[in-house]
Amino acid sequence: MEEKKNRLKLTAISGFPEWLPEERMVELRMLDSIRSTFERYGFTSIETPAVERLDVLLAKGEAEHEMYKVERLAGAEDSHEAKFGLHYDLTVPFARYVAQNFGALDFPFKRYQIQDVWRGERPQVGRYRQFKQCDIDVINVNKLPLSFDAEVPAIVFEALAGLDVGEFELHLSNRKILHGFLEGLGIEQVLEATRILDKLEKLGPKAIEAMLQETLRLPTDTTQHCLEIATICRADESFSEAVRKLGVQNKLLDQGLEELTALLKNFRELSPGKVFADLSVTRGFDYYTGSVYEAKWLTHPALGTVAAGGRYDNLASKFSTQTLPGVGMSIGFTRIFGKLVADRSLKKTQKCPTQILVSYLDQAGSQRARQVAQVLRSRGFSVEVYYEEAKLTKQLQYANKKGIPYFWFETDSAVKNMSTGEQHPADPYSWTPEEPIIE
Amino acid sequence: MEEKKNRLKLTAISGFPEWLPEERMVELRMLDSIRSTFERYGFTSIETPAVERLDVLLAKGEAEHEMYKVERLAGAEDSHEAKFGLHYDLTVPFARYVAQNFGALDFPFKRYQIQDVWRGERPQVGRYRQFKQCDIDVINVNKLPLSFDAEVPAIVFEALAGLDVGEFELHLSNRKILHGFLEGLGIEQVLEATRILDKLEKLGPKAIEAMLQETLRLPTDTTQHCLEIATICRADESFSEAVRKLGVQNKLLDQGLEELTALLKNFRELSPGKVFADLSVTRGFDYYTGSVYEAKWLTHPALGTVAAGGRYDNLASKFSTQTLPGVGMSIGFTRIFGKLVADRSLKKTQKCPTQILVSYLDQAGSQRARQVAQVLRSRGFSVEVYYEEAKLTKQLQYANKKGIPYFWFETDSAVKNMSTGEQHPADPYSWTPEEPIIE
């Protein structure tokens, strides 16, 4: 009775997702697939601790993201010890890692990082406080070839396509285009204008036009030009001509158009991915300085951007005396996976990785069943022995409920295919499934 | 200049390990190997969030482990929101998960969990504040067959052996033996006596004898009996006879001896693992009620226990009205891996997963090189194209430095084996390496 009184009422912690075994199996398979794509392009894994020093997390100047701090429950750390927080992305830890281990790394350094990140936001549908990101970045010393600007989104496209959850498309731009264009128009507050144009998709052209006119006091023909360039979205190199037609001359603009044209061409050599030169893409207030990328999931356009990234001139300026240009992209994995779970559209197959359930009927059979199982395991199969003496029907029900594809009769040395119902004699040393087993 | 002033001095955060890419590659390979062993026995993955509610973490009554609490940096959460802490093991989250998802799980539920845990301890050599544990547990409703008491340590032995880092041995006991024995001796403060005997290995027999006599006021012959049973360690069933010879009669003792004898027998049917019935093993003040396990790494005996576990009558009594007996074991992965890194005895092979580096000499070659790479990738190989136009010697140096095993000459359609120096003509559609490539 007393124990009952002390029992805790459990409720899910809002914003911290957790999956059932059959969902987790799919999540693992998808994460494996992403990792395998990253590795096929020679990217190497790093993992950084969940925590970073608060001064590192805050080094960007403004706390863009709500952060979690971490402290000993028993009391404050010694005053000379650093204060920690949970990382809110994988880019800041990566920059710190490269600066800290600079002498031990080989450049260009191509790394991937698949980890949880934490943000102390008020949770809402499709937003999480803990979620997985899958990042790739290439970083080099002083100079990084433009070819990587195409390789990175091509790899991410392949990784997304490999999830087998519908179509994705990539929207690419180059920050130099909009910056140069706005400069060429004689706009002095280029950053402010970019910030306003970044909201075009959300607020619509009318609202943006009003904001440009009111906040920046731009004349009507200038705001018209701004809206025209921001709505250029082409599947081929014709975007460049469309920009030229607007009649603005600027060197940075020229450079941006040239880079984006090369990026499109290089991308097509690498990937069959559906891709657009989309001049509305600016990636907000991030540290990007050239190419910028956004990926959209065509099955769920309302979900917005599910992967994003770009090129930066110098990632680790707060931590390193080296100039370290790079290009990278991040997949918001939990955004995608959480949506599949919420919509009940996850292709679940099994509740456990077991491929073969070995049955037995009595104590002597139990020992033989265990031997059969060990032989099958030594050949790489995932095998369970049924856990107690029980009637065959009960054992078959168990296999069925858990989605185990093959059922082994120890008594008859025979195997039943649970989906076709067919049954054949079998030897544990030589048996192979008719078709490759998933997982 | 201003930027330089603001630059942060980076130092590793003590107790939060982080590995170089070549170390991380080995860590990933080892974690994959453990996961694959767990899955071969039909265990399914679950993952719980890094945080739990503080009342869940503190439900055991006493805060055995130093904990970290997590709070929004910007200010306290709403007062009605739960307070969080980072989990300090994977058992409490597992118990909470089973209780919370009880209706959606199939029993017996066999799960593995490979995750980081956090402890706010003062770090010292071989101790971490963030470290990886690899746990397996089987849990059932009301009753769990004794056969799992052998399966769990057999699986862990296979997982440890699969790491290929030297020999491990398992020390098994059953708490009922010592409890029953102490009861049979007429000792009333059984738990207190167990606690003292648990320190035998650390403090030695003289100190333990003195403590038993002083704290519990036990007569000399009783303390002698206590020491005798706690030093019994046998590789076969003869431990039972050795206990019997001490002449103590008790029903719980009988049951314990029977269970441990069965465990040893069942274990040998499953595993070639080096195993001892070691009656000094008690697993401190944990919730174990029957079988208890410890694994030692023979290469580094001073490191102590590297994996441990046991059977419990009811895991989730604080969270559930169900009686949920189980048996499980946890591998202290980072303890093992960190020791290998610290001793420089890690078998590092490569700095990246790249198996083939494709070289080229000019712009036209670059495009052909990318095509060759895509063909090889479609066949499952990990391939990098050298990142810029450069002399062949420089490209060969790059492959060498990163430990890339094969070098592809786009110009000659030939492949060089970097370790033997041999070079052969090759077609990307049909080429295969002479021997399987590691990783």
Side-chain angles (χ1 to χ4, degrees):
Chain A
M1 277 309 282
E2 202 182 348
E3 202 177 272
K4 200 170 180 183
K5 249 194 233 160
N6 292 332
R7 197 163 292 133
L8 292 175
K9 198 169 162 272
L10 295 175
T11 44
I13 312 180
S14 153
F16 289 85
E18 176 174 83
W19 315 118
L20 289 173
E22 56 270 36
E23 294 160 351
R24 170 67 179 160
M25 280 191 70
V26 184
E27 184 184 42
L28 262 183
R29 197 154 61 212
M30 287 186 178
L31 292 171
D32 284 347
S33 157
I34 291 174
R35 170 182 161 192
S36 148
T37 303
F38 290 170
E39 292 189 349
R40 264 203 309 284
Y41 286 81
F43 283 68
T44 197
S45 167
I46 72 163
E47 198 179 65
T48 59
V51 303
E52 296 285 340
R53 272 169 29 191
L54 277 184
D55 56 353
V56 167
L57 292 175
L58 295 166
K60 268 209 230 168
E62 44 174 337
E64 276 186 60
H65 307 288
E66 288 278 7
M67 269 175 245
Y68 282 119
K69 66 178 174 187
V70 173
E71 275 171 7
R72 279 174 64 222
L73 184 63
E77 304 278 338
D78 297 340
S79 59
H80 65 271
E81 259 197 285
K83 307 259 180 264
F84 313 137
L86 294 172
H87 55 225
Y88 57 84
D89 73 3
L90 301 175
T91 308
V92 170
F94 173 56
R96 194 265 313 145
Y97 180 96
V98 170
Q100 196 171 319
N101 299 294
F102 184 77
L105 302 177
D106 295 304
F107 293 90
F109 181 48
K110 300 164 77 170
R111 84 88 173 78
Y112 73 90
Q113 210 168 336
I114 299 179
Q115 284 187 244
D116 286 310
V117 306
W118 292 267
R119 294 188 190 168
E121 292 171 69
R122 210 164 283 276
Q124 29 175 315
V125 174
R127 291 261 173 199
Y128 299 100
R129 291 169 164 188
Q130 172 174 343
F131 54 97
K132 287 189 200 302
Q133 289 195 327
C134 308
D135 280 32
I136 50 170
D137 283 87
V138 192
I139 199 164
N140 203 13
V141 185
N142 297 327
K143 204 170 142 282
L144 181 76
L146 200 65
S147 59
F148 286 116
D149 290 56
E151 187 170 281
V152 162
I155 295 169
V156 165
F157 183 85
E158 192 172 324
L160 290 171
L163 297 180
D164 192 22
V165 295
E167 303 254 322
F168 294 87
E169 64 184 26
L170 286 166
H171 292 246
L172 317 178
S173 187
N174 190 304
R175 279 205 166 180
K176 291 172 187 169
I177 296 175
L178 192 61
H179 277 224
F181 187 83
L182 296 172
E183 264 179 33
L185 281 174
I187 295 173
E188 277 169 23
Q189 292 162 282
V190 165
L191 268 181
E192 192 52 36
T194 309
R195 255 169 234 195
I196 293 171
L197 285 166
D198 188 40
K199 295 177 188 135
L200 180 59
E201 200 180 337
K202 203 188 270 175
L203 304 179
K206 285 243 163 109
I208 296 301
E209 189 170 12
M211 284 171 83
L212 287 171
Q213 283 169 3
E214 283 158 30
T215 318
L216 302 180
R217 293 162 197 270
L218 299 181
T220 314
D221 60 333
T222 308
T223 58
Q224 271 308 315
H225 269 79
C226 291
L227 284 173
E228 279 173 50
I229 190 168
T231 45
I232 292 175
C233 178
R234 303 283 175 92
D236 56 34
E237 284 82 342
S238 67
F239 74 91
S240 189
E241 206 188 329
V243 174
R244 293 291 180 210
K245 273 196 188 148
L246 300 176
V248 175
Q249 298 296 328
N250 177 280
K251 277 198 173 170
L252 194 63
L253 170 62
D254 293 346
Q255 203 188 332
L257 291 173
E258 214 172 282
E259 286 185 11
L260 185 55
T261 304
L263 165 55
L264 273 183
K265 182 179 160 290
N266 293 341
F267 182 89
R268 283 217 200 77
E269 281 174 17
L270 280 171
S271 171
K274 215 170 172 182
V275 71
F276 296 92
D278 178 349
L279 303 191
S280 76
V281 174
T282 68
R283 293 311 304 147
F285 322 123
D286 272 305
Y287 30 70
Y288 301 118
T289 49
S291 301
V292 278
Y293 320 117
E294 287 183 356
K296 290 181 199 307
W297 188 11
L298 297 187
T299 327
H300 298 286
L303 209 59
T305 303
V306 294
R311 172 179 274 258
Y312 35 85
D313 281 342
N314 193 7
L315 185 62
S317 60
K318 289 286 178 191
F319 313 127
S320 171
T321 54
Q322 302 285 343
T323 301
L324 299 167
V327 58
M329 208 164 167
S330 175
I331 300 174
F333 179 81
T334 305
R335 246 178 125 77
I336 298 170
F337 188 79
K339 182 68 182 160
L340 293 168
V341 174
D343 285 6
R344 297 168 189 271
S345 53
L346 209 62
K347 290 178 195 159
K348 288 170 278 189
T349 49
Q350 286 194 230
K351 290 189 167 185
C352 62
T354 309
Q355 298 163 329
I356 308 160
L357 182 74
V358 182
S359 66
Y360 66 91
L361 291 177
D362 53 27
Q363 204 46 46
S366 145
Q367 200 179 330
R368 287 194 302 270
R370 273 163 220 290
Q371 285 162 357
V372 165
Q374 286 302 65
V375 172
L376 289 166
R377 285 185 192 120
S378 73
R379 297 178 56 217
F381 294 109
S382 290
V383 187
E384 262 184 75
V385 176
Y386 192 71
Y387 63 103
E388 61 180 4
E389 282 178 44
K391 286 189 180 162
L392 268 181
T393 48
K394 200 179 163 201
Q395 302 190 40
L396 282 160
Q397 272 166 10
Y398 175 90
N400 210 35
K401 198 172 54 172
K402 286 202 162 179
I404 300 173
Y406 291 94
F407 188 92
W408 196 286
F409 297 89
E410 177 278 318
T411 39
D412 307 330
S413 300
V415 172
K416 184 190 182 76
N417 180 326
M418 294 294 286
S419 59
T420 65
E422 276 178 50
Q423 192 173 318
H424 296 289
D427 176 346
Y429 289 96
S430 59
W431 176 82
T432 47
E434 299 101 74
E435 41 194 297
I437 301 178
I438 297 168
E439 255 293 346
Chain B
M1 275 307 284
E2 204 184 343
E3 199 177 274
K4 199 169 179 183
K5 250 194 230 157
N6 292 332
R7 197 164 292 132
L8 292 174
K9 200 170 161 269
L10 295 176
T11 44
I13 312 180
S14 156
F16 290 85
E18 176 173 84
W19 316 119
L20 289 173
E22 56 270 37
E23 295 160 351
R24 170 67 179 160
M25 281 192 70
V26 184
E27 184 184 43
L28 262 183
R29 197 154 61 213
M30 288 186 177
L31 292 171
D32 284 347
S33 158
I34 292 174
R35 170 183 161 191
S36 147
T37 303
F38 291 168
E39 292 188 350
R40 264 203 309 284
Y41 286 82
F43 282 69
T44 197
S45 168
I46 71 162
E47 197 178 67
T48 60
V51 302
E52 295 286 341
R53 269 168 33 189
L54 277 184
D55 56 353
V56 167
L57 292 175
L58 294 165
K60 267 209 229 169
E62 43 175 336
E64 276 186 60
H65 306 288
E66 288 278 5
M67 269 176 244
Y68 282 118
K69 66 177 175 188
V70 173
E71 276 170 6
R72 279 174 64 221
L73 185 62
E77 303 278 339
D78 296 343
S79 58
H80 66 270
E81 259 198 288
K83 306 259 180 264
F84 314 137
L86 294 172
H87 56 224
Y88 58 84
D89 72 3
L90 301 176
T91 309
V92 171
F94 173 55
R96 193 265 312 144
Y97 180 95
V98 171
Q100 195 170 320
N101 299 294
F102 184 77
L105 302 177
D106 295 304
F107 293 90
F109 181 48
K110 302 164 76 169
R111 85 85 172 80
Y112 74 89
Q113 211 168 336
I114 299 180
Q115 283 187 245
D116 286 311
V117 304
W118 292 267
R119 295 189 189 169
E121 293 172 67
R122 210 163 283 276
Q124 31 175 313
V125 175
R127 292 259 173 201
Y128 300 99
R129 292 170 161 186
Q130 173 174 344
F131 54 96
K132 285 187 199 306
Q133 289 194 328
C134 309
D135 280 31
I136 49 171
D137 283 86
V138 192
I139 199 163
N140 204 13
V141 185
N142 296 328
K143 202 170 143 284
L144 182 75
L146 201 65
S147 59
F148 286 116
D149 291 56
E151 186 169 282
V152 162
I155 295 168
V156 165
F157 183 84
E158 192 173 324
L160 290 171
L163 297 180
D164 192 21
V165 296
E167 304 253 322
F168 293 86
E169 65 185 26
L170 286 166
H171 292 246
L172 316 178
S173 187
N174 189 305
R175 279 202 167 183
K176 292 173 185 168
I177 296 176
L178 192 60
H179 276 224
F181 187 83
L182 296 173
E183 263 180 33
L185 280 175
I187 295 174
E188 278 169 22
Q189 291 162 283
V190 165
L191 269 182
E192 191 54 35
T194 309
R195 254 167 234 198
I196 293 171
L197 285 165
D198 188 40
K199 296 179 187 135
L200 181 61
E201 199 180 336
K202 204 188 267 177
L203 304 178
K206 284 243 163 107
I208 295 303
E209 190 170 13
M211 283 170 83
L212 286 172
Q213 284 170 4
E214 282 158 30
T215 317
L216 302 182
R217 293 162 197 269
L218 300 181
T220 315
D221 59 334
T222 308
T223 59
Q224 270 308 315
H225 269 78
C226 290
L227 284 174
E228 278 173 53
I229 191 170
T231 46
I232 292 174
C233 179
R234 304 282 175 92
D236 56 34
E237 283 83 343
S238 67
F239 74 90
S240 189
E241 205 189 328
V243 174
R244 294 289 181 211
K245 272 197 188 145
L246 299 176
V248 174
Q249 299 295 330
N250 176 281
K251 278 199 172 171
L252 193 62
L253 171 63
D254 292 346
Q255 203 189 331
L257 291 173
E258 214 171 280
E259 286 184 12
L260 186 54
T261 303
L263 166 55
L264 272 183
K265 183 178 159 291
N266 293 342
F267 182 88
R268 281 215 202 78
E269 282 173 18
L270 279 172
S271 171
K274 216 170 170 180
V275 71
F276 296 92
D278 179 349
L279 303 191
S280 76
V281 173
T282 68
R283 293 310 306 148
F285 321 122
D286 273 305
Y287 30 70
Y288 301 119
T289 48
S291 302
V292 279
Y293 321 116
E294 288 183 355
K296 289 181 200 306
W297 189 10
L298 298 186
T299 327
H300 298 287
L303 210 60
T305 303
V306 293
R311 173 180 272 259
Y312 35 84
D313 280 342
N314 194 5
L315 186 62
S317 60
K318 289 285 177 191
F319 313 127
S320 172
T321 54
Q322 302 284 343
T323 301
L324 299 167
V327 57
M329 207 164 167
S330 174
I331 299 174
F333 179 81
T334 305
R335 247 178 124 78
I336 297 171
F337 189 79
K339 181 69 181 160
L340 293 168
V341 173
D343 284 7
R344 296 167 190 275
S345 53
L346 209 62
K347 289 178 195 160
K348 288 171 279 189
T349 49
Q350 284 193 231
K351 291 188 165 184
C352 62
T354 309
Q355 297 165 329
I356 308 160
L357 182 74
V358 182
S359 66
Y360 66 91
L361 292 176
D362 53 29
Q363 204 46 45
S366 145
Q367 198 180 333
R368 288 193 302 269
R370 272 164 221 288
Q371 286 162 357
V372 165
Q374 287 301 64
V375 171
L376 289 165
R377 284 185 192 119
S378 72
R379 296 180 56 217
F381 294 109
S382 290
V383 188
E384 261 183 77
V385 175
Y386 192 73
Y387 65 102
E388 59 180 3
E389 280 179 46
K391 286 189 180 162
L392 267 182
T393 48
K394 202 181 160 197
Q395 302 190 39
L396 282 160
Q397 273 166 12
Y398 175 89
N400 210 34
K401 198 172 55 174
K402 286 204 163 178
I404 300 171
Y406 290 94
F407 189 93
W408 195 286
F409 298 89
E410 177 279 319
T411 40
D412 306 331
S413 301
V415 171
K416 185 190 181 80
N417 179 326
M418 293 295 285
S419 59
T420 65
E422 275 178 52
Q423 191 173 319
H424 296 290
D427 176 346
Y429 288 95
S430 59
W431 176 81
T432 47
E434 298 100 73
E435 42 194 297
I437 301 177
I438 299 169
E439 258 292 344

